Amino acid sequence: MTTSGDSTAESGRVDPDFRAYMDALIAEIREHGHAVTGNYVGRDALVLTTTGARSGQPRTNPVAFTRDGERFVIAATNDGAAQHSAWYWNVVAQPTVTVEVDRRRIQARARVVEGEERERLWALHVANHPRIGAYPSQTSRVIPVLVLEPRD
């Protein structure tokens, strides 16, 4: 089972087993502040709620993160797949997001980072989540790195 955030089968429909897994993971993060089962155990993970780029509906996904001061660093790795994580397009279309972390709910603004800032934050994120370091070699795309900046 993948945890890429791409829960659509080739038909474009949500795979119900994948959605059930994601929903259980989201519930764990909300209840315990972290995952207690599955392959997110031991990883810093938050719950990211975006607004669907096409639907306008809330879309919620667990996402690995790294702290950079008050900001949260995330990457649209999609497990090294050829396409960006589905949530990435929602963030690009509507950068105002909700972050649930440490049993808190925070409004934030997402921003894709580039250049030296991207390189620094990618290295920081890989240090925190070593397995993602291999993802760039699995795809021809540049994996987007984003910061979630809490709003005052």
Side-chain angles (χ1 to χ4, degrees), residues 95-116:
T96 299
V97 300
T98 301
V99 176
E100 294 174 68
V101 64
D102 301 330
R103 296 187 187 110
R104 296 179 304 141
R105 184 181 292 250
I106 303 165
Q107 294 298 314
R109 181 149 183 94
R111 178 173 60 86
V112 178
V113 295
E114 297 180 0
E116 289 180 21

Side-chain angles (χ1 to χ4, degrees), residues 43-115:
R43 298 171 67 192
D44 291 328
L46 55 77
V47 175
L48 178 68
T49 301
T50 62
T51 301
R54 290 181 283 186
S55 71
Q57 298 300 309
R59 300 292 184 225
T60 303
N61 291 283
V63 180
F65 78 93
T66 300
R67 292 182 194 276
D68 182 50
E70 295 295 315
R71 307 181 312 170
F72 304 97
V73 178
I74 61 174
T77 64
N78 201 10
D79 288 344
Q83 66 279 352
H84 296 319
S85 303
W87 57 259
Y88 170 77
W89 300 111
N90 296 340
V91 170
V92 169
Q94 176 52 261
T96 299
V97 300
T98 301
V99 176
E100 294 174 68
V101 64
D102 301 330
R103 296 187 187 110
R104 296 179 304 141
R105 184 181 292 250
I106 303 165
Q107 294 298 314
R109 181 149 183 94
R111 178 173 60 86
V112 178
V113 295
E114 297 180 0

Side-chain angles (χ1 to χ4, degrees), residues 20 24-25 38 48 54 64 66 83 125-126 134 136 141 145 151-152:
L25 180 55
L48 178 68
R54 290 181 283 186
T66 300
Q83 66 279 352
H125 198 49
V126 169
R141 69 184 174 93
V145 177
R151 300 180 87 164
D152 296 329

Side-chain angles (χ1 to χ4, degrees), residues 108-130:
R109 181 149 183 94
R111 178 173 60 86
V112 178
V113 295
E114 297 180 0
E116 289 180 21
E117 182 180 26
R118 183 206 178 276
E119 296 308 312
R120 180 183 73 79
L121 294 176
W122 173 252
L124 182 69
H125 198 49
V126 169
N128 195 31
H129 303 279

